[in-house]
Amino acid sequence: MSGPIRLTAEDPAAYLGGDDIVQTGHPAVRALAAELRAAHPDDGEFARAAFEWVRDRIQHSVDVQDPRVTLTASEVLSAGVGLCYAQAHLLAAVTRAGGVPAGLCYQRLGGDGEPFLHGLVAVHLDGGWHRQDPRGNQPGHYAEFRLDREQIAYPIAPGSADQDLPEVHIRPAPSVVTALRGAYDALDLCRSGLPSVP
């Protein structure tokens, strides 16, 4: 396993706002954040609860073979399904709505084959950024909320052609937004080619 990635990010305060995809102001997103925050007043425990809620309750499209395409936080929350990017959009929105800075980051996976982006979230806690992977667990891929060390679904092995991309984005990557907005079937998008650059 490789060592921790050095993330590059702006001022954490910049990662508290919302937009038309990371919808921190949407009533359903705010209601979920308020519910989780009421039960978890500590920032770290709230961020953990938000992570576990998304990881465990939002199904990954491929895992459940659901072709619906979701993009915005409210779409993901309503449908209960999405690709990794969409899951990350919801997690970032809920975490920000609860007052904890959260950004979007990516890995480039695919080994020596066709590369594609995998979406993650980074939260700012304990004075630093910590990547979390809400993709959902499956055999061989186990993600947990951790601040002491990363436990993401796809750790990059030394010498691998895969890459951890260090930037923590305030807004979703344009290539991800374009791909999801132009897709009619999430499963077909996975077969035909996911975005490979942010």
Side-chain angles (χ1 to χ4, degrees), residues 1-181:
M1 182 180 299
S2 59
I5 179 176
R6 184 181 295 276
L7 298 173
T8 59
E10 298 184 33
D11 184 325
Y15 297 84
L16 287 169
D19 54 44
D20 59 337
I21 296 171
V22 182
Q23 298 167 308
T24 56
H26 191 280
V29 171
R30 294 185 67 80
L32 176 56
E35 175 188 334
L36 295 174
R37 181 52 106 168
H40 305 280
D42 174 77
D43 282 352
E45 288 306 310
F46 163 72
R48 177 189 301 276
F51 166 84
E52 291 177 349
W53 198 99
V54 174
R55 182 197 63 186
D56 298 341
R57 298 199 190 191
I58 303 299
Q59 299 290 323
H60 189 280
S61 305
V62 174
D63 292 351
V64 293
Q65 290 294 287
D66 191 321
R68 289 177 291 169
V69 178
T70 54
L71 170 63
T72 70
S74 62
E75 289 172 350
V76 180
L77 188 55
S78 175
V81 69
L83 294 173
C84 60
Y85 320 111
Q87 293 170 304
H89 299 162
L90 175 59
L91 178 56
V94 172
T95 307
R96 291 180 187 184
V100 174
L104 302 162
C105 45
Y106 302 93
Q107 293 175 296
R108 186 177 291 116
L109 304 177
D112 295 322
E114 191 68 29
F116 62 92
L117 292 182
H118 173 57
L120 305 165
V121 170
V123 294
H124 193 271
L125 289 165
D126 294 347
W129 290 98
H130 308 273
R131 293 192 308 173
Q132 313 296 335
D133 190 344
R135 183 239 178 274
N137 292 329
Q138 58 178 330
H141 302 289
Y142 187 66
E144 283 288 344
F145 183 93
R146 299 191 69 123
L147 301 180
D148 56 338
R149 62 177 177 83
E150 281 192 351
Q151 190 163 337
I152 59 178
Y154 304 105
I156 305 299
S160 170
D162 294 337
Q163 293 178 282
D164 284 316
L165 304 181
E167 298 83 5
V168 180
H169 300 264
I170 296 171
R171 296 179 54 85
S175 65
V176 168
V177 175
T178 298
L180 291 176
R181 281 192 170 145

